[in-house]
Amino acid sequence: IRQLYRAEMSSYTFDLLMLGLILLSLLFVSYIAIKDRSTKLLRNCLIQEKTATLVLESEREKLSTLLEIGSLLSSNAEKQLIFDTICSGLARCLKGDHSSLMLYHQETEKLECVSCYGVQKELLLGQQLKIGQGIAGWVVQHRTPLLLAKDISRYDFIN
C-alpha cells in the first residue's frame, strides 16, 4: 500500500495520513474510556439513589405507623384497639413477624399479655409471667432493652 501511495502521492502525505489515523484512533479510545467512566459513575449514583429511596420509604412507613398510633392515643378509641395497633405497627416497623404487648400489674406483680401480633397469637393472649420469667420478665427485671438475634439459645429463657 505504501508503494502505491508513493507512486500517487508523496511519502510525506502518507505519513500524515497514518498520523491522522493513529490520532483519530487515540481520540476514539479516549472517548470510550471517558464514556465508560461516566457510565460507572452514573450507575453508582443510581444505586445510591435507590438505597436512599428504600431508606426514606422505610422511614415514611415508620412515621405513618407512629402517626396512626398517636392519633389513636389521643382519640377515644378503646384500649384493645390501641394495643393491637401498637403491636401490629411495631412488628411492621421492625420487620418482625411476631410481637406482643405486656402490661405490669403492681398488685399481682405479674406481666399480662394484653395484645399479640402474628401466628398463634391466641396462645399468648392473656398469659401471665412473673418478673424474671421469659423474655419480657427478663427485660423488666434488668430494666434493659434486649434485641434478640438468631442466637437466642445463649439466653436462659424458658418457653
Side-chain angles (χ1 to χ4, degrees):
I1 292 178
R2 181 178 270 194
Q3 296 201 0
L4 284 172
Y5 273 109
R6 280 187 186 160
E8 294 294 321
M9 298 189 261
S10 68
S11 172
Y12 178 74
T13 307
F14 177 75
D15 291 342
L16 278 177
L17 184 63
M18 290 307 287
L19 184 63
L21 183 63
I22 291 170
L23 185 61
L24 191 61
S25 298
L26 287 175
L27 285 173
F28 181 71
V29 168
S30 299
Y31 173 78
I32 295 295
I34 289 170
K35 283 298 179 183
D36 184 53
R37 184 170 185 265
S38 67
T39 303
K40 287 179 182 176
L41 288 173
L42 181 61
R43 187 182 75 223
N44 289 341
C45 183
L46 287 174
I47 289 171
Q48 289 174 351
E49 289 292 324
K50 186 174 183 177
T51 304
T53 301
L54 292 174
V55 168
L56 285 175
E57 179 61 30
S58 173
E59 291 300 313
R60 185 201 62 78
E61 213 174 292
K62 289 176 186 175
L63 288 174
S64 172
T65 301
L66 290 175
L67 179 65
E68 180 184 2
I69 291 170
S71 65
L72 274 175
L73 287 173
S74 62
S75 72
N76 290 331
E78 55 182 81
K79 286 183 185 179
Q80 193 59 47
L81 176 63
I82 294 172
F83 294 157
D84 291 343
T85 305
I86 289 172
C87 268
S88 64
L90 288 176
R92 280 194 320 265
C93 285
L94 298 174
K95 309 252 186 280
D97 50 2
H98 294 38
S99 69
S100 61
L101 178 65
M102 297 188 146
L103 293 181
Y104 177 68
H105 298 291
Q106 286 182 337
E107 57 276 356
T108 61
E109 294 186 357
K110 289 187 178 182
L111 295 168
E112 180 185 4
C113 183
V114 293
S115 180
C116 292
Y117 174 81
V119 194
Q120 297 180 340
K121 64 181 184 180
E122 299 82 24
L123 296 176
L124 292 175
L125 202 56
Q127 293 289 320
Q128 292 189 349
L129 297 174
K130 296 177 185 176
I131 302 297
Q133 183 182 16
I135 297 167
W138 185 93
V139 169
V140 171
Q141 182 181 26
H142 292 92
R143 297 185 185 271
T144 305
L146 180 64
L147 179 63
L148 297 177
K150 291 183 179 181
D151 59 341
I152 192 172
S153 59
R154 72 181 181 143
Y155 299 102
D156 293 329
F157 296 126
I158 300 171
N159 297 328

